Amino acid sequence: MPTKPAFHLHALLAAIVLASGAAFAAGDDDRDYVLREYTIPLADIDEIEFHAGAGSLEILPLDTNEVQILLEIESEEHGWLKRRRDVSDIELESDVRGGRLVLRQTEEGTNTEWTVRMPAVARTTIEMGVGDIDAAFGATELDLHLGVGDIDVTLPAHSTGDIDIDVGVGDAHVRGAHDIDHDHAFVSQDLRARGDGTLDARIELGVGDVALELE
């Protein structure tokens, strides 16, 4: 079956800029903060992929077949003059490739707090540079990569299969799993465990701590 061509969702998404985030005082030339809200239907979508730069990512469960995203985008100081970049035109980049929804906000010079509400999908992929991830998932195959920060993840015990956690510098803990094999090597840690299901969870962290709980 041929792969469906990639296309941008900007024409399809209802991107709602909340007044509290988009309003600026008259005469104020600073554009260093913006609040964006999106609701994306998930018909025919079985995989969601997140790409984030610096900031935080919170994922909460949702019963409806859509993903709701709130982005708080703030400019960071850069350069010896400590200038802030204009973030007023930054939007979430969204593409659909076959049954995969790709969401991206990786603009340099910004710090973004993601709040995401989503139902369980067959596969969830997260790639983030620097920050914290706090996520509660339904039954999903998870592939998570973070450069620097802390990860706190909850998965269902009945659906989760093999658990594979690699931490370059830091610590890793798992609760509610069995067959736990914890390998310390100087400052790095490799942790293997199992849930009661078949959907694997892979977490890779450069520097920081990982806490995973099955419930």
Side-chain angles (χ1 to χ4, degrees):
M1 180 179 294
T3 303
K4 296 180 183 178
F7 63 94
H8 288 282
L9 287 179
H10 293 302
L12 303 177
L13 303 183
I16 306 169
V17 182
L18 301 185
S20 60
F24 299 97
D28 184 2
D29 292 330
D30 291 334
R31 296 293 186 270
D32 58 5
Y33 177 82
V34 69
L35 199 62
R36 306 284 194 205
E37 185 175 358
Y38 308 84
T39 297
I40 305 172
L42 295 179
D44 301 321
I45 298 295
D46 55 17
E47 179 178 351
I48 300 181
E49 186 174 311
F50 297 90
H51 295 267
S56 64
L57 173 60
E58 182 181 16
I59 297 179
L60 303 167
L62 186 67
D63 291 334
T64 58
N65 194 32
E66 64 186 21
V67 57
Q68 301 173 1
I69 305 162
L70 178 67
L71 299 184
E72 298 180 61
I73 306 170
E74 186 173 9
S75 175
E76 293 183 333
E77 293 180 350
H78 64 93
W80 66 276
L81 292 177
K82 294 187 176 181
R83 293 177 177 172
R84 290 182 176 269
R85 67 161 298 175
D86 184 350
V87 300
S88 61
D89 62 347
I90 295 178
E91 296 277 359
L92 178 71
E93 298 179 18
S94 307
D95 297 289
V96 171
R97 299 182 176 95
R100 178 178 58 175
L101 171 64
V102 181
L103 304 170
R104 183 186 305 271
Q105 203 312 85
T106 57
E107 289 283 346
E108 293 185 2
T110 66
N111 187 90
T112 301
E113 295 184 10
W114 299 59
T115 303
V116 178
R117 291 175 171 82
M118 57 179 274
V121 293
R123 181 180 174 85
T124 305
T125 301
I126 300 173
E127 294 187 3
M128 185 171 180
V130 178
D132 295 330
I133 297 174
D134 188 350
F137 295 102
T140 189
E141 182 178 352
L142 178 64
D143 195 351
L144 193 161
H145 301 266
L146 175 63
V148 179
D150 293 330
I151 297 171
D152 193 339
V153 169
T154 302
L155 287 165
H158 69 87
S159 62
T160 303
D162 290 336
I163 298 168
D164 187 344
I165 302 175
D166 294 327
V167 180
V169 179
D171 204 357
H173 298 281
V174 171
R175 295 181 58 186
H178 51 83
D179 298 335
I180 298 174
D181 182 8
H182 209 159
D183 183 17
H184 296 260
F186 191 47
V187 295
S188 66
Q189 292 199 43
D190 295 333
L191 190 151
R192 308 292 179 266
R194 273 202 58 81
D196 299 324
T198 60
L199 300 175
D200 297 341
R202 293 172 292 275
I203 298 176
E204 183 176 331
L205 173 62
V207 179
D209 295 333
V210 176
L212 187 149
E213 182 172 2
L214 301 186
E215 59 179 25

